[in-house]
Amino acid sequence: MAKILVGMSTCGLSAGARDTYEELKKLLSDDSSHELTLTGCIGMCYREPLVEIRDNGTRTIYGDVDAGRAREIVDKHLANGTVIEDYAVYTEDASGRKGGAEEPFLTQQNRIVLRNCGVINPESIDEYTERGGYEATRRALTVMTPEQVVGEIKESGLRGRGGAGFPTGIKWSFAAGNDADQKYVVCNADEGDPGAFMDRSVLEGDPHAVLEGMIICGKAIGATFGYIYCRAEYPLAIARLEIAIEAARKKGYLGDDILGSGFDFDIKIKQGAGAFVCGEETALFASIEGERGMPRIRPPFPAEQGVWGKPTNNNNVETYANIPWIIVNGASAFRKYGTEKSPGTKVFALVGKIEKGGLAEVPMGTSIEELVFGIGGGIKDGGEFKPVQMGGPSGGCIPEHLKNTPVDFEHIPQTGAIMGSGGMVVLDATTCMVDIARFFLDFTQEESCGKCTCCRIGTKRMLETLERITTGEGNTEDIAHLQHLAQQIKQASLCGLGQTAPNPVLTTIDYYEDEYIAHISDKHCPAANCSALVSFNIDRDKCTGCTLCVRDCPVDAISGGKKQFHVIDQGKCVKCGKCITSCNFDAVYKA
Amino acid sequence: MSKRCIDPAKAREIAERYPAGDGTGLIHALQDVQAAFGYVPCEAVEVLCEHLGVPISKAFSATTFYKAFSLTPKGDVVIRICTGTACHIRGAQTLVDEIRAVLSIEPGETTEDMKFTLETVNCVGACAMAPVVSLNGEYHGGVQPGAATRMIRGEE
């Protein structure tokens, strides 16, 4: 009997996994010898929808499975055991020998956080416990003392995966050391950095790991209640968490007297309402309390006064997902991965102009080059690598010549970027660095809560300046003006949003000042990206008058009949580039 | 803006899911209202605030702060174009411009016939599938110029 797993997390669904699943369900409806189920994200987003067949100890993962391929899999693989080599992305035979086109993508990783993602059905607590789930909870609650739990986490050297990298065990010991009638465990699942989706994948693919991390934290610090603050843009993550919490309650892992240990703990989901600043912990607490999500001054730190003014420990999703593994395998096993000061692994979202976009978990200290070119397969369509953007709107761009930088909490900040939560956006030669800076300032300006004047007005002024530069209206003082404003905003803002908002501008000026100068002095965008500074044209010598671009143009901006030269109406053109890709004669060019 | 009448009993039913006189449930209750009506109608705010014992100004403070809330009704089809970093560099702005041109509305606006609302969203977390567009919550990845228009035409 074979087990068929369809990857049904948001990436899979956006690639059409629902249709694939429905087709398989229909085809297998009168065949009870196979089990059809769903799973989370295995990280190969670039080959979604993914379907895995497990049969007699073998595994075969197929990529790009639409309804047609689903039928072929049923006809060939399930009916007579023939593996369809053409789109088998990963295979494992009964003796454990691995193969398939994308085998290196998976085998170059060390999966601790993602241990169950794409492996189990996230909606089944039984599949989680079969893989050793809730063993850590049992140990922490019935064998270990709270001091031992804190000690083990301290010993592991685990540092917060949300971006700041504060040692988790030390943070726990602060909250544990404060006496109060009530304490709280908070899980920050407000993954707001655009370009990062590690936490979403963990919540959608292995929600129980996060619950376990929180239960163990509760025991360690003496808290009996936890909140998961999850952003509203992740409806599937919230749905899977709800199923997981309900199942954990039924099995007695949440509620009163868990596993007969006398320890009570329960968890509630608080859905975010669309404010990036709520990723900042004091703003997050305010939001949980039903207020506008505006940060406040620290101290008092959350370990003294967090949610409802009570001692609170706040970690992010990935941090909690590491906890059960550390409790079961021990701190020294964890320290075998990563570097001395940044032990363990880190999950990265490889996106942008990269060949193999997806999720990869590697030991801390792996270089950018290994990630982008080794696992990620290099730049999309053989393009030219420019920088990689890390840390989202708070981070910066790391240029090509620093691609050997080890990715950990020590080395990344030296480049001017930050570790952030793990979003790695790869940019190529067609990306304009001034536009990237403008993009992030547009983001932070809109997301500033408005409390600090320098953040509220300063980011607006920086954005206006960048908009002028990208539309060819910049002047020579603009670069110095941006740097001056950046320093003021960094110094005079209360929370991380304002303190880091200028980073994308500062790092792009540092590494790509010539691009700023080209926009300002030559009114030229070297990447041919800023629409005010480029136009689309058709080369009369190359145009054969085939009308393909005329028909493909979404806004009917191209005129000309058969065998006539085609002309682009610059007033109507939205500069989408569709004509460039549709032309078979390279007649359309950007200038 | 066209005015739609809401069922006050439905607003009351939502309010009563939360303890009377406890203002901490405000955001959750507003989220329920948003989900039930597709926006936050003023009449529902009044019912909610009376039940929770909070001033109406506080409800408006929250609804104008958080992006998930809309004080105006939305169209039958809500088109959300992700403009996160990965989608941005893979052409999300072009998709926004295309839909703006096709529907003659700006992001945040609704067509006069109440059929379509165009919105942008910071990041839906499907970055590897960029650019991503969702129609009433159904995600589509790798959307090419022209494809978004065809999706909308399919909804007409």
Side-chain angles (χ1 to χ4, degrees):
Chain A
M1 174 182 152
K3 188 168 178 176
I4 301 119
L5 301 95
V6 182
M8 301 268 270
S9 56
T10 303
C11 331
L13 291 171
S14 68
R18 176 82 57 202
D19 293 343
T20 307
Y21 184 85
E22 291 303 325
E23 183 67 20
L24 286 166
K25 199 171 148 189
K26 201 172 75 191
L27 294 168
L28 300 170
S29 59
D30 44 3
D31 181 355
S32 57
S33 63
H34 302 302
E35 181 193 352
L36 176 65
T37 182
L38 62 99
T39 187
C41 173
I42 202 157
M44 275 190 254
C45 305
Y46 59 102
R47 299 300 299 266
E48 294 277 8
L50 294 161
V51 172
E52 177 175 347
I53 313 289
R54 282 187 209 157
D55 197 7
N56 284 325
T58 68
R59 292 178 69 189
T60 310
I61 304 180
Y62 290 110
D64 308 306
V65 185
D66 55 14
R69 285 191 174 181
R71 283 192 292 275
E72 203 181 336
I73 291 170
V74 172
D75 290 346
K76 291 186 179 160
H77 191 134
L78 291 180
N80 47 35
T82 316
V83 172
I84 308 156
E85 304 286 348
D86 284 357
Y87 45 94
V89 293
Y90 179 81
T91 58
E92 214 177 285
D93 67 16
S95 63
R97 201 169 51 223
K98 300 176 176 76
E102 307 293 347
E103 179 235 331
F105 182 86
L106 287 179
T107 49
Q108 288 180 77
Q109 301 185 39
N110 293 96
R111 296 164 78 93
I112 292 178
V113 172
L114 301 178
R115 58 194 177 273
N116 291 321
C117 288
V119 178
I120 62 166
N121 176 354
E123 297 182 1
S124 159
I125 192 168
D126 292 335
E127 290 197 15
Y128 181 70
T129 48
E130 277 163 26
R131 298 253 310 162
Y134 287 105
E135 168 61 17
T137 300
R138 191 194 61 77
R139 277 196 213 175
L141 266 49
T142 63
V143 182
M144 298 168 85
T145 65
E147 294 75 24
Q148 284 173 326
V149 175
V150 174
E152 194 70 28
I153 302 303
K154 265 191 190 169
E155 183 57 36
S156 74
L158 174 67
R159 297 173 67 169
R161 300 306 198 228
F166 192 83
T168 306
I170 295 176
K171 197 188 240 188
W172 287 19
S173 69
F174 293 156
N178 287 320
D179 283 331
D181 55 343
Q182 177 71 55
K183 297 183 191 178
Y184 293 100
V185 173
V186 171
C187 173
N188 184 346
D190 198 44
E191 184 175 53
D193 278 2
F197 57 97
M198 302 74 51
D199 294 351
R200 174 185 64 70
S201 285
V202 173
L203 294 171
E204 289 178 358
D206 195 15
H208 287 286
V210 181
L211 302 187
E212 255 202 288
M214 292 178 70
I215 298 165
I216 294 164
C217 176
K219 168 74 176 180
I221 69 166
T224 56
F225 201 81
Y227 289 105
I228 301 176
Y229 188 88
C230 187
R231 66 196 292 252
E233 290 83 352
Y234 288 176
L236 185 62
I238 293 172
R240 297 236 165 106
L241 274 172
E242 277 168 353
I243 294 170
I245 290 172
E246 202 44 51
R249 279 189 194 132
K250 277 204 184 117
K251 297 267 181 183
Y253 298 118
L254 282 175
D256 293 341
D257 190 22
I258 298 169
L259 302 172
S261 65
F263 174 67
D264 307 337
F265 194 79
D266 208 352
I267 294 175
K268 189 174 178 177
I269 302 168
K270 282 274 184 180
Q271 190 178 326
F276 174 71
V277 70
C278 288
E280 201 283 339
E281 59 187 5
T282 59
L284 188 154
F285 300 156
S287 187
I288 287 179
E289 294 167 8
E291 302 289 332
R292 283 163 76 110
M294 290 169 98
R296 62 156 175 82
I297 288 174
R298 293 178 301 182
F301 286 96
E304 299 160 52
Q305 287 181 33
V307 184
W308 309 112
K310 302 290 183 186
T312 300
N313 181 77
N314 172 40
N315 285 123
N316 96 322
V317 171
E318 192 180 335
T319 313
Y320 284 123
N322 270 295
I323 301 294
W325 193 95
I326 294 171
I327 295 296
V328 169
N329 296 281
S332 54
F334 188 73
R335 279 192 169 276
K336 286 194 182 124
Y337 300 98
T339 66
E340 198 203 329
K341 288 183 173 166
S342 300
T345 59
K346 177 79 194 82
V347 186
F348 292 99
L350 301 173
V351 298
K353 301 290 179 71
I354 191 164
E355 201 56 53
K356 299 177 178 181
L359 277 190
E361 181 173 355
V362 291
M364 287 273 191
T366 302
S367 74
I368 293 172
E369 185 173 22
E370 286 170 83
L371 268 162
V372 173
F373 290 91
I375 294 176
I379 308 304
K380 200 165 178 54
D381 304 326
E384 187 188 326
F385 180 42
K386 209 169 172 180
V388 49
Q389 207 283 342
M390 279 187 75
S394 307
C397 290
I398 304 171
E400 205 258 342
H401 72 268
L402 295 176
K403 66 184 178 192
N404 292 322
T405 309
V407 183
D408 58 36
F409 291 110
E410 282 69 54
H411 292 91
I412 293 299
Q414 291 170 15
T415 66
I418 62 165
M419 268 294 273
S421 55
M424 255 191 192
V425 186
V426 177
L427 309 177
D428 69 0
T430 64
T431 320
C432 170
M433 302 314 293
V434 189
D435 178 66
I436 282 292
R438 184 204 58 77
F439 167 78
F440 282 118
L441 259 291
D442 185 36
F443 181 93
T444 35
Q445 179 273 136
E446 197 177 302
E447 294 294 342
S448 170
C449 80
K451 187 167 184 166
C452 305
T453 316
C454 269
C455 175
R456 182 181 71 242
I457 301 175
T459 53
K460 180 88 181 159
R461 290 291 97 84
M462 285 184 83
L463 173 64
E464 286 167 357
T465 309
L466 290 162
E467 279 174 343
R468 276 195 293 105
I469 297 174
T470 52
T471 50
E473 310 277 320
N475 59 56
T476 45
E477 292 91 56
D478 280 343
I479 295 177
H481 178 58
L482 283 171
Q483 287 170 320
H484 177 66
L485 265 175
Q487 288 314 324
Q488 290 183 324
I489 296 168
K490 280 169 90 95
Q491 282 165 12
S493 298
L494 188 125
C495 84
L497 191 153
Q499 287 162 6
T500 60
N503 284 352
V505 181
L506 291 175
T507 57
T508 49
I509 292 178
D510 269 355
Y511 297 121
Y512 300 97
E513 192 174 1
D514 52 338
E515 288 198 27
Y516 279 82
I517 293 169
H519 283 76
I520 293 167
S521 307
D522 310 333
K523 312 296 174 204
H524 170 66
C525 174
N529 176 87
C530 293
S531 56
L533 303 180
V534 296
S535 63
F536 285 74
N537 302 283
I538 297 174
D539 186 335
R540 288 179 70 101
D541 292 335
K542 289 185 180 168
C543 177
T544 62
C546 74
T547 74
L548 197 56
C549 62
V550 178
R551 281 177 279 144
D552 279 356
C553 177
V555 290
D556 299 328
I558 309 178
S559 57
K562 258 201 168 134
K563 308 250 160 122
Q564 291 173 339
F565 299 123
H566 301 330
V567 179
I568 300 176
D569 180 341
Q570 299 297 336
K572 275 189 185 172
C573 174
V574 292
K575 299 171 183 178
C576 68
K578 179 76 183 159
C579 47
I580 290 192
T581 46
S582 61
C583 182
N584 292 322
F585 308 97
D586 293 330
V588 188
Y589 63 95
K590 265 205 269 190
Chain B
M1 187 190 80
S2 67
K3 183 135 175 91
R4 289 180 177 183
C5 290
I6 67 147
D7 178 5
K10 199 168 166 189
R12 178 141 305 279
E13 183 269 314
I14 292 170
E16 282 168 359
R17 295 175 196 167
Y18 297 88
D22 180 3
T24 60
L26 178 65
I27 291 178
H28 259 229
L30 285 168
Q31 282 171 328
D32 289 355
V33 167
Q34 173 79 39
F37 297 101
Y39 74 114
V40 180
C42 294
E43 301 92 316
V45 171
E46 285 168 17
V47 173
L48 223 57
C49 288
E50 195 191 312
H51 179 79
L52 299 174
V54 295
I56 286 175
S57 60
K58 198 168 170 197
F60 283 106
S61 162
T63 45
T64 52
F65 183 84
Y66 293 104
K67 282 214 191 73
F69 301 120
S70 165
L71 288 166
T72 52
K74 294 198 181 172
D76 299 335
V77 181
V78 179
I79 308 156
R80 302 180 91 199
I81 301 179
C82 179
T83 51
T85 321
C87 290
H88 174 74
I89 64 165
R90 287 207 190 173
Q93 189 56 45
T94 312
L95 299 179
V96 175
D97 290 342
E98 183 185 322
I99 304 297
R100 272 166 67 195
V102 170
L103 296 177
S104 304
I105 50 170
E106 293 298 310
E109 292 180 354
T110 301
T111 52
E112 254 175 48
D113 60 1
M114 299 302 291
K115 193 115 198 178
F116 296 104
T117 298
L118 173 62
E119 291 182 351
T120 58
V121 52
N122 279 338
C123 183
V124 297
C127 312
M129 321 306 288
V132 177
V133 175
S134 83
L135 295 185
N136 283 348
E138 194 181 310
Y139 292 82
H140 302 269
V143 181
Q144 298 295 315
T149 308
R150 281 196 295 280
M151 274 188 242
I152 293 169
R153 298 276 180 245
E155 296 286 341
E156 276 175 350

